[in-house]
Amino acid sequence: MAVAFLVPGPRDAPPQGLSAAWPAMRDRQIGTGMWLTTLAGLAFGVLDVLAPLRLNSLGASALVIGATFLAAAALEAALSPLTGRLSDRHGPLTPVRLSLAVAVAVSLLAPLLAPAALLVTVLIVGMPSFGTLYTPAAALLSAGADRLRLNQGLAFGLSNLAWASGQGAGAAGSGVLAQATSDLLPYTLLASACLATLVVLRPRRRAAPP
């Protein structure tokens, strides 16, 4: 924080308030970036609540549960630069589609797999599919903000708002639904959201030239 205050601000930057951010949310590029960020937050809200409880019910210790999330985070950190390069070369939606396809499978398998060792393996390999949505989502938000001449700080604030909304709704909603029914319902809803997003973002066929 101390170093951040020492960084010189950009010159001749016109001041922008929150009123400039709300209209930008109607932009398709920014809206897509925000939704992907929300979806990732939603997924981690569900997983952070239900996955440890499921592992515990299968006999996994606290150490194993913590190590599972640590290993998944390490794998996600390793994949993020690769996701960024793929996004730069083939467009931000290419890694998004790959991540969403894996995310659907992970969401449907997580409430069903046993024993604990099998679930641990799937979580380590599969949870990064949600986290790798951040890099292309951030690219979409940044590019959209640049095109609309929106301050990048406001774009980052929209990203944080989207993440917090998804995380909060996913954590609270999944706990309530799982307690009222079973883990299968919130995971199925998460898989449905990922699948619907994948369908909406599917590659469009270009019209044949006359």
Side-chain angles (χ1 to χ4, degrees):
M1 291 174 62
V3 173
F5 278 109
L6 299 177
V7 176
R11 295 181 179 179
D12 301 327
Q16 289 183 336
L18 285 176
S19 59
W22 305 132
M25 295 173 65
R26 295 193 294 266
D27 180 75
R28 180 178 178 84
Q29 196 172 27
I30 289 181
T32 301
M34 287 189 66
W35 167 245
L36 293 174
T37 305
T38 302
L39 185 60
L42 191 70
F44 280 112
V46 173
L47 287 164
D48 287 351
V49 172
L50 300 184
L53 295 175
R54 172 68 175 166
L55 288 169
N56 180 71
S57 69
L58 294 175
S61 66
L63 180 62
V64 170
I65 295 172
T68 300
F69 279 81
L70 180 62
L75 181 58
E76 179 188 331
L79 289 175
S80 289
L82 300 178
T83 305
R85 294 189 189 100
L86 188 62
S87 178
D88 291 338
R89 293 177 181 176
H90 302 284
L93 295 184
T94 298
V96 165
R97 295 185 189 107
L98 295 174
S99 295
L100 287 173
V102 177
V104 172
V106 173
S107 300
L108 294 175
L109 290 173
L112 303 174
L113 290 180
L118 180 58
L119 180 56
V120 164
T121 303
V122 169
L123 289 175
I124 291 174
V125 175
M127 279 199 294
S129 64
F130 299 106
T132 49
L133 292 175
Y134 292 132
T135 302
L140 286 169
L141 275 166
S142 178
D146 197 41
R147 178 170 48 81
L148 297 176
R149 299 187 182 279
L150 180 69
N151 191 294
Q152 290 291 337
L154 288 176
F156 187 68
L158 291 176
S159 176
N160 282 336
L161 178 64
W163 157 259
S165 301
Q167 173 80 7
S174 64
V176 171
L177 290 175
Q179 189 171 15
T181 57
S182 70
D183 288 8
L184 188 59
L185 179 57
Y187 275 118
T188 301
L189 292 175
L190 176 60
S192 300
C194 293
L195 182 60
T197 305
L198 180 60
V199 171
V200 171
L201 298 180
R202 69 187 184 280
R204 311 281 176 135
R205 291 185 178 181
R206 295 182 179 179

